[in-house]
């Protein structure tokens, strides 16, 4: 029967609908992949020669000097010969800043969200449902509307150009994370938890030794999605890290790199090389956790 099914699939008659579907998929694939190819093609080109053949589909005067400039290996003379940015770009510092910003803020917001979700799902206290309802209203407020109040608050605290200023506003509260974890915690059986309490375990011990291990899947999901979101964040670092490279993340440094090119022309090859290097951590995360991310997006409805 399986053989018959396979033969039937092999001899499916041609139809206009199927051809249109494959054509549409091909167009979507090309539109999705081509920008990444163009970034790679530009990064492997000689920046000075790019203007001579801007429409070439292949790298113009193939070279890896753009990557050497971004990594700080190329000398000043080599950068000038390639028409590259000679202002210097220490990608290691910016990468470190992005790892600190994305890593610490993600861990903190998931930790605090888990504690809040446990309080809303397990603890009995007056006004719990009312507070949770008010909390859900925050889901309807666009994040862009909170940027300016948060910036004024951080500035008054004197935390501009510090990691604390970058991390704290987004690390203490996430309405979506709390809602997401609360719904999962409600589905966990209370019997194991009650047995642990009878044996003398406190609420915090129950939370960290029983509930969180059982909710490992959703917590890892939030960690992955939160890290990706923080890594790609641009507007908040743009407001808070106004000067110096001490706390400036990679996304913001790329814009500064473009602006700091010598007056003649932008170092497009160097900029694309830096963008590719910046995308490597996200690429590795997708390679390692790709299936989990897809399942998480489908489960949570995140777009």
């Amino acid at each position: 029967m399986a053989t018959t099914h396979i033969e039937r699939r092999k001899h499916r008659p041609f139809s206009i609908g199927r051809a249109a579907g494959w054509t549409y998929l091909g167009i979507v694939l090309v539109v999705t992949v081509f920008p990444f190819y163009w970034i790679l093609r530009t990064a492997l080109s000689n920046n000075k020669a790019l203007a001579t053949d801007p429409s070439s589909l292949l790298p113009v005067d193939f070279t890896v000097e753009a990557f050497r400039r971004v990594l700080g290996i190329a000398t000043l003379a080599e950068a000038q010969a390639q028409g590259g940015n000679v202002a210097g770009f220490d990608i290691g510092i910016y990468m470190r800043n992005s790892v600190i910003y994305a890593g610490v803020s993600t861990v903190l917001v998931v930790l605090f969200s888990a504690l809040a979700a446990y309080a809303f799902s397990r603890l009995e206290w007056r006004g719990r449902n009312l507070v949770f309802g008010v909390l859900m209203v925050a889901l309807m407020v666009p994040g862009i509307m909170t940027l300016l109040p948060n910036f004024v608050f951080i500035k008054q605290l004197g935390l501009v150009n510090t990691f604390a200023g970058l991390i704290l506003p987004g690390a203490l509260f996430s309405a979506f994370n709390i809602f997401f974890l609360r719904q999962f915690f409600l589905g966990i059986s209370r019997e194991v938890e009650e047995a642990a309490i009878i044996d003398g375990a406190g609420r915090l011990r129950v939370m960290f030794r029983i509930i969180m291990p059982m909710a490992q899947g959703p917590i890892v999901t939030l960690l992955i999605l939160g890290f990706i979101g923080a890594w790609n964040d641009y507007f908040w670092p743009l407001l808070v890290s106004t000067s110096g490279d001490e706390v400036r993340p990679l996304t913001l440094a790329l814009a500064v790199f473009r602006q700091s090119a010598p007056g003649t022309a932008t170092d497009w090859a160097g900029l694309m090389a830096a963008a590719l290097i910046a995308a490597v951590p996200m690429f590795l995360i997708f390679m390692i956790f790709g299936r989990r991310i897809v399942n998480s997006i489908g489960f949570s409805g995140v777009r």
Side-chain angles (χ1 to χ4, degrees):
M1 186 172 180
T3 305
T4 305
H5 180 66
I6 294 173
E7 289 177 351
R8 194 183 306 153
R9 291 188 61 182
K10 286 182 178 177
H11 297 90
R12 281 180 177 174
F14 173 80
S15 69
I16 296 178
R18 183 175 298 120
W22 280 108
T23 303
Y24 173 75
L25 286 177
I27 293 174
V28 171
L29 182 64
V30 171
V31 171
T32 304
V33 174
F34 187 76
F36 294 98
Y37 169 73
W38 198 254
I39 291 174
L40 181 62
R41 167 260 182 196
T42 306
L44 294 175
S45 298
N46 184 323
N47 192 62
K48 189 173 284 186
L50 266 177
T52 62
D53 194 3
S55 59
S56 173
L57 291 177
L58 297 176
V60 182
D61 190 10
F62 179 88
T63 179
V64 294
E65 285 299 319
F67 290 94
R68 296 184 71 234
R69 285 198 301 277
V70 171
L71 294 174
I73 302 174
T75 63
L76 180 62
E78 290 173 335
Q80 288 176 328
Q82 292 280 324
N85 190 339
V86 296
F89 184 76
D90 195 341
I91 196 170
I93 293 179
Y94 302 128
M95 190 78 79
R96 180 207 65 184
N97 294 343
S98 286
V99 169
I100 294 175
Y101 170 50
V104 175
S105 62
T106 300
V107 170
L108 288 179
V109 74
V110 172
L111 173 63
F112 292 136
S113 298
L115 292 172
Y118 181 75
F120 282 118
S121 62
R122 285 292 195 267
L123 304 184
E124 298 291 339
W125 44 282
R126 182 178 297 176
R128 184 186 66 173
N129 293 333
L130 175 63
V131 175
F132 184 71
V134 173
L135 191 71
M136 289 301 97
V137 175
L139 281 174
M140 305 175 191
V141 179
I144 193 76
M145 293 184 65
T146 63
L147 286 180
L148 191 56
N150 282 338
F151 173 71
V152 173
F153 184 57
I154 290 298
K155 186 176 181 181
Q156 289 178 345
L157 292 176
L159 296 178
V160 175
N161 289 319
T162 65
F163 278 116
L166 266 179
I167 294 171
L168 285 180
L172 300 178
F173 172 77
S174 170
F176 172 77
N177 286 2
I178 295 172
F179 172 77
F180 184 82
L181 290 175
R182 174 185 175 271
Q183 298 307 109
F184 188 84
F185 289 169
L186 288 175
I188 297 177
S189 172
R190 292 176 178 269
E191 295 176 355
V192 178
E193 182 182 350
E194 290 172 354
I197 293 175
I198 292 174
D199 289 340
R203 284 293 182 181
L204 282 178
R205 190 174 181 184
V206 169
M207 169 72 191
F208 287 104
R209 301 293 293 273
I210 297 177
I211 299 297
M212 291 192 73
M214 296 177 74
Q216 183 182 2
I219 289 175
V220 172
T221 294
L222 292 179
L223 286 173
I224 295 172
L225 297 180
F227 187 85
I228 294 173
W231 184 272
N232 295 323
D233 193 12
Y234 179 81
F235 286 110
W236 179 246
L238 179 65
L239 288 175
V240 177
S241 55
T242 56
S243 63
D245 296 334
E246 291 78 12
V247 299
R248 181 175 289 157
L250 195 52
T251 49
L252 193 58
L254 291 178
V256 175
F257 177 79
R258 179 177 180 275
Q259 295 167 0
S260 61
T264 52
T266 301
D267 183 3
W268 289 113
L271 188 61
M272 295 301 108
L276 283 175
I277 294 174
V280 167
M282 295 300 99
F283 178 75
L284 293 177
I285 288 177
F286 272 101
M287 288 290 291
I288 298 172
F289 302 104
R291 185 181 296 275
R292 181 183 288 275
I293 291 173
V294 171
N295 292 338
S296 302
I297 291 174
F299 178 65
S300 63
V302 175
R303 294 290 187 270

